[in-house]
Amino acid sequence: MLIKSRRGWELPESAVTPESVYINRRSLLAAAGAAPIAAGLGGLLGTGAARAQMVDPTADLYPVTRNLRYRVERELTGEEEATTYNNFYEFGSHKQIWQAAQELDIRPWTVTFDGMVEQERTVDVDTLIRAMPLEERVYRHRCVEAWAMTVPWSGFPMAALVDFARPLSSAKYVRMETYQDEESPGFRQFWYPWPYVEGLTMEEAANDLAFMVTGLYGKPVPPQNGAPLRLATPWKYGFKSIKSIVRFTFTDERPVSFWEELQASEYGFWANVNPEVPHPRWSQATEKLLGTNERVPTRIYNGYGEFVASLYDGMASTERLFL
Ligand SMILES: Nc1nc2c(c(=O)[nH]1)N[C@H]1C(S)=C(S)[C@@H](COP(=O)(O)O)O[C@H]1N2
Ligand SMILES: [Mo]
């Protein structure tokens, strides 16, 4: 979803801090002992997944039992493909961010619940994960750019997280926010509206399909896929599935997401997968499977209509709302 045409508020690539400056700063920090040990180990170990697993204190929890209610009549995407072809703009606006993402400090990590809740609180992510009913679900994932994958996520129903947060009955939406710090290179692209934000209605968040991800392929989810806690809403375009979440805010105002803020005409709030509503710059009728590059027809709600169609009764005719 690179925004191709540069607008007045965008800067040329040359205005961005060059990678070499960034790397030097990191090694200076490391030399001064300020960077975490894990960052130094990154270069010595093999794949990102291997490193994440070594340093992830929840590794003992996986694999977890697969929930067979969520069947997918597609081959699983290879782990290699799904963990080396990513969208995570905090690490750059291209797909090859998996190595850069190993710098993400996934611990300590806290998650804040605030806004319209009985009591605001901040919890350690490990306390949260260990309190939740973990299971594995094989889900399809459909990026708005028309590539798709099928992967085994581990995690827990978003409904359990909502229960944990104890929102007031007046809350209508949940707004989610990704971490933001000075280390990840993407934040220097300051024309993006950081932090990454996404939102769901309370009904969507309580739907059985909405899943909080903590693992992938039977291991802790690696940084590039959104460690330590991300969302999976498989009936919506992939950008709704916000990564590396630090805050859940319950509100009665519809949140404005990162992509909506950037280009509302192309990335709407609902973002339900729909082969009949083209993106303004490309068709959504088909999608390309990661790994095999096979082209297959896109399905309404990404094939999950039986679970979610009733959430949108009466909305289909309101044209762009259904994007
Ligand atoms: N914080 C954050 N979350 C994000 C993104 C991002 O750039 N930053 N990209 C989104 C998009 S466009 C997609 S398709 C998926 C990609 O998830 P994957 O890399 O695990 O396949 O993450 C989504 N979540
Ligand atoms: Mo995406």
Side-chain angles (χ1 to χ4, degrees):
M1 63 172 69
L2 221 56
I3 310 286
K4 289 272 157 39
S5 58
R6 185 181 296 154
R7 282 167 298 278
W9 41 267
E10 289 189 10
L11 286 180
E13 210 42 46
S14 57
V16 182
T17 311
E19 182 91 347
S20 56
V21 173
Y22 163 74
I23 288 165
N24 286 340
R25 206 174 89 79
R26 282 301 294 206
S27 37
L28 279 176
L29 280 174
I37 292 166
L41 280 175
L44 300 175
L45 300 170
T47 67
R51 194 206 134 229
Q53 195 180 4
M54 279 193 72
V55 301
D56 195 306
T58 57
D60 62 291
L61 294 173
Y62 304 95
V64 292
T65 306
R66 184 172 294 184
N67 183 338
L68 295 175
R69 184 171 172 221
Y70 304 96
R71 288 181 186 280
V72 174
E73 65 299 337
R74 274 187 195 168
E75 295 286 312
L76 279 191
T77 302
E79 179 174 357
E80 179 82 19
E81 279 82 34
T83 58
T84 57
Y85 182 94
N86 301 96
N87 269 333
F88 201 164
Y89 276 58
E90 285 80 346
F91 292 98
S93 45
H94 53 87
K95 301 289 179 286
Q96 278 69 49
I97 55 79
W98 75 269
Q99 276 163 314
Q102 306 313 308
E103 298 290 312
L104 178 59
D105 289 331
I106 56 170
R107 294 295 188 291
W109 191 280
T110 59
V111 182
T112 296
F113 300 91
D114 61 11
M116 303 173 88
V117 289
E118 282 175 29
Q119 191 173 12
E120 298 194 351
R121 59 184 166 151
T122 296
V123 299
D124 183 75
V125 75
D126 294 309
T127 308
L128 179 71
I129 293 172
R130 287 180 190 277
M132 293 291 132
L134 296 185
E135 61 183 54
E136 184 177 73
R137 296 184 184 187
V138 175
Y139 273 176
R140 282 189 291 263
H141 173 96
R142 170 55 156 84
C143 177
V144 72
E145 297 163 326
W147 56 268
M149 63 179 186
T150 302
V151 297
W153 301 116
S154 308
F156 54 90
M158 190 172 190
L161 179 125
V162 172
D163 283 349
F164 182 90
R166 285 186 273 121
L168 303 177
S169 57
S170 46
K172 292 193 174 69
Y173 300 92
V174 55
R175 177 188 183 276
M176 293 156 277
E177 202 176 287
T178 296
Y179 84 97
Q180 188 177 4
D181 67 21
E182 291 166 8
E183 302 297 324
S184 307
F187 295 119
R188 287 170 208 175
Q189 301 188 311
F190 54 79
W191 56 95
Y192 285 117
W194 306 114
Y196 198 99
V197 166
E198 261 306 336
L200 295 173
T201 65
M202 291 301 288
E203 291 72 27
E204 289 175 326
N207 187 274
D208 285 344
L209 262 192
F211 197 56
M212 299 309 312
V213 168
T214 61
L216 183 59
Y217 295 96
K219 290 169 278 193
V221 63
Q224 62 271 34
N225 296 93
L229 184 69
R230 75 172 281 175
L231 177 68
T233 42
W235 71 100
K236 293 179 177 289
Y237 289 117
F239 65 86
K240 296 295 289 186
S241 294
I242 180 173
K243 296 178 170 181
S244 306
I245 304 170
V246 294
R247 184 183 300 275
F248 295 85
T249 304
F250 295 85
T251 166
D252 56 6
E253 271 174 48
R254 192 166 101 176
V256 178
S257 76
F258 177 88
W259 288 108
E260 193 179 1
E261 173 107 28
L262 202 56
Q263 196 74 314
S265 60
E266 302 192 350
Y267 310 107
F269 173 80
W270 298 103
N272 293 313
V273 175
N274 188 343
E276 283 165 18
V277 178
H279 183 279
R281 291 181 281 132
W282 57 83
S283 163
Q284 295 291 21
T286 63
E287 60 204 47
K288 199 162 87 171
L289 303 184
L290 199 56
T292 65
N293 285 342
E294 191 190 343
R295 274 259 161 211
V296 298
T298 292
R299 295 170 65 187
I300 184 79
Y301 298 115
N302 201 23
Y304 292 103
E306 62 172 299
F307 297 100
V308 297
S310 64
L311 289 171
Y312 311 103
D313 277 348
M315 267 184 53
S317 56
T318 9
E319 16 159 344
R320 302 302 304 181
L321 269 187
F322 205 54
L323 175 83

